[in-house]
Amino acid sequence: MLHIWEIWPKLAEAVLRTHIEYRMAGGHSFDHALHVAQVAYFIAETEEVKRLSGAAGLCHNADRILQKILGVGKKDVPEARVVTMVQGWLDTSNEFTATDGDRIVSAVLLHSNFNIDGSDEVLVALQDADRIACSAAEAIIGAAQHWHEIPMINPKH
């Protein structure tokens, strides 16, 4: 099986540089983006969807990076800024058609939403991959380190 950084090396490098520049760590680190991208590539059903959902996985932290840059809540990140960031990464790699770019950008913009029947397969693979990555042991441990004063189990609930 190929690694996502072997499929899209220029894209992976561009996204990595941005993560380093803005010191993205924790739940929205480059490692998380790689994990989501690799899982998306693994679970997608066709070669085209594998490649595009893997690229979307690399890019899917754009909203979180912009949240940090702008100092706002996730819902307050302007969609246009996310589009600009993702399109910039895709342009850097120079490996995507306009249609590919549209599908990737759309998946990144919508990946936090609930699944909807009839959604683009790239979006579905990205949504599922993000959920899988967020349920992995390292994500749970990483989240727990910030909540060490709260009991692990609430007997009331």
Side-chain angles (χ1 to χ4, degrees):
M1 181 173 80
L2 289 173
H3 295 108
I4 203 67
W5 60 87
E6 295 170 325
I7 298 166
W8 303 120
K10 294 176 186 175
L11 178 60
E13 185 169 327
V15 173
L16 172 61
R17 277 194 309 268
T18 304
H19 278 79
I20 290 170
E21 180 179 354
Y22 294 104
R23 295 183 172 93
M24 296 301 294
H28 298 99
S29 66
F30 183 68
D31 290 341
H32 172 69
L34 276 178
H35 189 178
V36 171
Q38 197 64 51
V39 171
Y41 182 81
F42 181 74
I43 66 172
E45 295 182 8
T46 67
E47 192 58 36
E48 176 186 18
V49 176
K50 285 178 180 297
R51 294 168 64 81
L52 296 180
S53 63
L58 284 171
C59 298
H60 89 283
N61 281 348
D63 57 348
R64 297 301 190 160
I65 295 169
L66 287 162
Q67 180 184 356
K68 184 173 183 179
I69 292 169
L70 300 172
V72 298
K74 183 177 184 282
K75 292 181 180 186
D76 296 321
V77 173
E79 187 175 288
R81 296 282 300 265
V82 175
V83 171
T84 299
M85 179 173 277
V86 174
Q87 197 59 58
W89 288 332
L90 297 176
D91 290 347
T92 298
S93 73
N94 200 27
E95 301 170 296
F96 300 94
T97 67
T99 302
D100 292 346
D102 290 345
R103 290 179 76 187
I104 292 165
V105 168
S106 179
V108 170
L109 289 172
L110 300 173
H111 83 276
S112 295
N113 295 348
F114 292 111
N115 288 35
I116 299 171
D117 287 340
S119 292
D120 186 285
E121 292 173 287
V122 174
L123 170 60
V124 174
L126 177 58
Q127 288 174 313
D128 291 348
D130 197 24
R131 292 178 185 129
I132 290 167
C134 287
S135 66
E138 66 270 14
I140 295 166
I141 292 166
Q145 72 183 354
H146 300 293
W147 301 96
H148 62 277
E149 295 175 4
I150 297 174
M152 289 184 287
I153 298 172
N154 183 337
K156 182 178 177 183
H157 300 288

